[in-house]
Amino acid sequence: YLDDHIIPIEDAFLADEMVVFAVLVDRNGYLPTHNSRYSLPLTGDPDADRIGNRTKRIFDDPVGLMAARYEGHSSGPVIKQIYPRDTGVLMWDIAAPVTVKGQHWGAFRIGFSMEETDASIQALRRTILYTFFGSLLACSIVIMFLVSRFTRPLQTLTRSAQAIASGSRKEIIDLQSEDEIGVLVEAFNKMSGALQETTVSRDFFDMLLQSMHDLLIVSDASGDIVSVNRATCEVLGYNNEHICTHNVKDIVQLP
């Protein structure tokens, strides 16, 4: 009866690679039936049968008896022990008490391979680490993309301002935006247009002045010469830079 009904339950635990055994034992450590992995037919070889057929045997070692007689208490419903198995494998032994008609009968023991458990823990740590660095890299790329996207208008505005400072008169930024950058770009375009109109008007006025046949001298309040037209330079015989180093009062003294 136990072989027909308990073995399938015990075998279900073996789907987990970390589980080496899952068995039902009574208070004396007697194992009425083992899972199918350790219920192989007897071969007559003591060493092989010790490993391959462990059913209907008594496991009365200290760990086995502690697990079989554990009835549960305030510290927890199960007991966890380190189990040096007779095969030389070091394991975690987890046992939960079993009661029959209100009486403690024994325990259900599950053995986990420490090696497999440690390997699973290490694999989980690597997965978490790779996931962390992958997420960090993805966030960095997204941040770089967003920063580049939001600062591109400012970079364009800066280049246009530098171009105007270098003498360009036709810097218009083609950018449609409803945020503060858009307002700034609109103001910049208006300024650039006004500057272009002012520059054209000034150039036209300078051309008219330079084409005059009469002498024209522009000075500040103290009489220092600021600029002169072409006719003045031709009459005096000096270039504009030289004349602008003098005061109006000095004009009469120039040879």
Side-chain angles (χ1 to χ4, degrees), residues 59-237:
F59 294 89
D60 56 358
D61 56 276
V63 173
L65 287 179
M66 181 70 72
R69 296 175 181 177
Y70 180 74
E71 299 184 20
H73 46 69
S74 58
S75 63
V78 299
I79 182 174
K80 182 177 71 174
Q81 304 177 84
I82 297 177
Y83 179 34
R85 205 168 181 224
D86 58 0
T87 59
V89 178
L90 197 62
M91 310 183 66
W92 288 111
D93 186 285
I94 312 295
V98 175
T99 60
V100 177
K101 296 182 179 181
Q103 299 294 322
H104 182 256
W105 180 84
F108 192 85
R109 297 174 59 187
I110 302 177
F112 292 88
S113 169
M114 280 191 172
E115 183 178 352
E116 293 291 338
T117 303
D118 291 340
S120 298
I121 293 174
Q122 294 301 324
L124 180 60
R125 287 177 178 172
R126 288 194 297 270
T127 300
I128 294 175
L129 187 63
Y130 294 153
T131 302
F132 171 77
F133 281 110
S135 300
L136 183 62
L137 178 61
C139 290
S140 300
I141 293 174
V142 171
I143 291 174
M144 291 176 60
F145 171 76
L146 293 177
V147 169
S148 175
R149 178 180 178 183
F150 288 117
T151 60
R152 191 179 300 116
L154 290 177
Q155 295 173 352
T156 302
L157 191 61
T158 301
R159 287 194 297 268
S160 298
Q162 292 173 342
I164 288 181
S166 301
S168 176
R169 300 291 184 262
K170 299 181 179 180
E171 286 295 325
I172 300 296
I173 302 176
D174 184 15
L175 176 65
Q176 301 295 327
S177 178
E178 297 181 357
D179 57 7
E180 292 81 358
I181 299 297
V183 175
L184 185 60
V185 167
E186 183 179 357
F188 178 87
N189 288 336
K190 290 181 179 179
M191 180 198 70
S192 179
L195 180 62
Q196 183 177 354
E197 293 177 0
T198 302
T199 301
V200 171
S201 299
R202 188 192 66 185
D203 292 344
F204 180 73
F205 180 72
D206 290 343
M207 182 183 66
L208 291 178
L209 293 180
Q210 293 300 329
S211 65
M212 290 175 55
H213 295 290
D214 296 327
L215 276 64
L216 176 66
I217 299 176
V218 180
S219 68
D220 60 16
S222 63
D224 293 330
I225 298 174
V226 177
S227 66
V228 297
N229 64 349
R230 186 181 298 109
T232 302
C233 294
E234 292 176 352
V235 170
L236 297 179

